[in-house]
Amino acid sequence: MTRSRRSARAIRTAAVFWLAAALTACSAEAPPTAEPPPRPVRVAAVEKGPAQPPIVASGLLAPADEARLAFKIGGIIREIHVQAGQAIRAGQVLATLDTAEIDAAVTQAREAHDKAQRDYERGRRLFAEDVITQAQLDDLATAAAVARAQLEAAQFNRRHAQIVAPADGRVLRRLAEPRELVGAGQPVLQVGYGHKGWVLKLGLPDRDFVRVRLGDTARVRFDAWPEREFSGTVGLRGGAADPRTGTFPVEIALDSADATLTAGLIGRATIGVGGGPDVLDYVPLSALVEGRSESMLLFLYDGATQKVSERRVPVAFIAGERAALATPLPAGSLVVTDGAAYLHDGDAVRVVQ
């Protein structure tokens, strides 16, 4: 090997040595990697709730003082003076019957009454002249009293040959039309007064009905106003199932007397049941990160260390936007909601409002 080649090789070896030494020195002098900044999160307190899932059912809204108006006697409807949706006032005539037959009955009863009264007056004179006995006079008095009662009954029926509004309200629907023949007591108009508020009428299956109690609280939403929520309580719990549907009637009395409510709206009620001593922990659904119902991952926030710790919990059931846990969390626990999907056990966090 010539001298020039040996010199070039020595130079390359020295260059490699000094480069390696420089890299080693740089790596030794590099500062340690900085810890990532705390992640911003939101937290929520664990709440207590009933140990049974709520009952969810749909029903129709109706006035609490709804009524079906009918004629006292049967007959042919002569006229209905109102339409569905029309406002009515107390004392207003809403419908009338054809009174030809009723007037004839009144005339017949009046004539019979007048005759019985004349017979009684004649009998009193004859009794004074010792022509008839006391027993015969008493019979005439009884006949006059019976005829008077029959006249009063006929006049009463004549007065009730029309339907009069008992209070201010609104016609909900017409159940008959003019010239129809209706029987005594057959509903002709359905009206609502709205003075006692509103109720949501539900039909519950037996498995749900047995869990409902009077006074249970409920939350109600309507498709007409999806952004609004109304509160109420169970005000009626029927005693027998509807033979047509097999469901049991339950009414939710709304706390609101909102004038914008209208009979016939479809509402969805969530009834809270099981308000006894047994309670479960409830967390927002956003606190659950992953897993199955028997083992869902969430993160607990420690305010002292400002760090989170992961916890696996079983879920008993879902109630609206909350999950009920089958096993309790430590008292006073805070769970991470927003930002939980990006955390790991032991991460430092920063709580934001």
Side-chain angles (χ1 to χ4, degrees), residues 12-257:
R12 287 198 300 272
T13 301
V16 171
F17 173 78
W18 287 110
L19 178 60
L23 292 175
T24 302
C26 290
S27 62
E29 295 175 1
T33 303
E35 293 186 1
R39 289 187 177 275
V41 297
R42 287 190 174 94
V43 298
V46 176
E47 300 176 349
K48 296 294 184 180
Q52 299 183 39
I55 295 173
V56 180
S58 297
L60 292 178
L61 185 68
D65 46 4
E66 180 180 276
R68 291 171 175 258
L69 304 182
F71 294 107
K72 165 66 172 60
I73 60 175
I76 298 174
I77 299 176
R78 182 173 66 189
E79 190 173 2
I80 298 179
H81 306 281
V82 291
Q83 300 292 332
Q86 181 176 335
I88 58 176
R89 62 185 185 277
Q92 178 181 349
V93 177
L94 307 180
T96 55
L97 285 177
D98 189 326
T99 59
E101 182 180 4
I102 304 172
D103 291 339
V106 172
T107 300
Q108 181 180 2
R110 181 178 293 111
E111 294 297 330
H113 169 265
D114 293 344
K115 178 180 181 303
Q117 192 64 32
R118 290 194 304 269
D119 291 344
Y120 175 65
E121 295 298 332
R122 186 183 308 109
R124 291 179 60 185
R125 292 192 299 269
L126 294 176
F127 177 76
E129 297 173 358
D130 293 331
V131 175
I132 64 174
T133 64
Q134 180 67 49
Q136 292 174 318
L137 179 62
D138 292 341
D139 290 343
L140 292 174
T142 300
V146 171
R148 183 169 59 253
Q150 292 174 341
L151 175 60
E152 292 175 351
Q155 292 173 336
F156 180 83
N157 289 336
R158 177 62 179 83
R159 290 194 301 270
H160 288 80
Q162 60 185 11
I163 297 176
V164 179
D168 295 347
R170 186 173 299 275
V171 178
L172 302 181
R173 56 180 60 90
R174 285 169 49 148
L175 305 176
E177 295 299 329
R179 309 314 303 169
E180 284 190 24
L181 176 64
V182 294
Q186 179 180 338
V188 174
L189 294 170
Q190 185 174 355
V191 300
Y193 307 114
H195 302 152
K196 297 182 180 179
W198 298 89
V199 295
L200 187 69
K201 297 186 176 183
L202 309 174
L204 299 183
D206 51 5
R207 65 177 181 276
D208 291 336
F209 177 76
V210 296
R211 299 168 54 202
V212 173
R213 295 292 179 267
L214 292 176
D216 284 347
T217 59
R219 294 175 287 110
V220 179
R221 289 183 178 273
F222 297 97
D223 292 339
W225 299 294
E227 72 285 353
R228 299 178 61 186
E229 182 176 274
F230 299 83
S231 60
T233 56
V234 176
L236 181 144
R237 186 175 180 272
D242 188 322
R244 297 170 300 173
T245 63
T247 59
F248 291 82
V250 171
E251 290 186 2
I252 305 296
L254 299 188
D255 298 334
S256 173

Side-chain angles (χ1 to χ4, degrees), residues 257-276:
D258 195 327
T260 60
L261 294 175
T262 303
L265 292 178
I266 297 177
R268 185 176 180 86
T270 302
I271 306 173
V273 296

Side-chain angles (χ1 to χ4, degrees), residues 269-285:
T270 302
I271 306 173
V273 296
D278 296 333
V279 295
L280 296 178
D281 286 346
Y282 282 70
V283 299
L285 289 179

Side-chain angles (χ1 to χ4, degrees), residues 38-46 282-290 296-303 305-311 313 321 323 325 329 332-352:
R39 289 187 177 275
V41 297
R42 287 190 174 94
V43 298
V46 176
Y282 282 70
V283 299
L285 289 179
S286 56
L288 303 179
V289 179
E290 62 180 7
M296 293 294 296
L297 174 65
L298 55 74
F299 289 93
L300 299 181
Y301 171 71
D302 186 347
T305 62
Q306 295 188 351
K307 292 185 177 181
V308 297
S309 58
E310 68 177 31
R311 181 71 64 91
V313 292
E321 298 180 355
L325 306 182
L329 294 173
S333 293
L334 296 175
V335 295
V336 178
T337 55
D338 295 356
Y342 306 99
L343 297 179
H344 298 87
D345 187 36
D347 281 355
V349 296
R350 174 173 55 88
V351 177
V352 297

